[in-house]
Amino acid sequence: GRRWRGQDLKLVPTRANGQPAYGFYVQEPSGAVFGGHGMIVLTLEGDRISAITRFVGNETLREFGLPEALD
């Protein structure tokens, strides 16, 4: 699985301004829930990624219809 700073994570795909984007979720210490940790947006130029932007506020998740936490 995917890991970030030693914790399991989940990425939920969406789109932002026509670009691929992902809701970013990290497993909470209890292990039962993955809490939202913002969004990642990829900027593409042709077939390459030219930038990766991370939004750390969970309000961004709500704006894209994504939950604040995952089971």
Side-chain angles (χ1 to χ4, degrees):
R2 296 178 181 111
R3 299 199 45 90
W4 181 72
R5 296 185 179 178
Q7 296 173 287
D8 288 336
L9 67 91
K10 292 184 180 183
L11 299 174
V12 177
T14 189
R15 307 257 327 151
N17 295 328
Q19 300 292 329
Y22 299 88
F24 188 83
Y25 298 86
V26 177
Q27 191 170 29
E28 298 293 332
S30 68
V33 175
F34 284 77
H37 282 261
M39 300 261 311
I40 296 172
V41 179
L42 305 180
T43 302
L44 304 178
E45 290 185 14
D47 62 349
R48 296 181 181 245
I49 297 170
S50 62
I52 300 172
T53 305
R54 180 160 179 241
F55 297 90
V56 295
N58 285 343
E59 63 277 354
T60 308
L61 292 171
R62 290 188 295 274
E63 291 174 15
F64 285 86
L66 297 174
E68 290 187 33
L70 301 172
D71 294 331

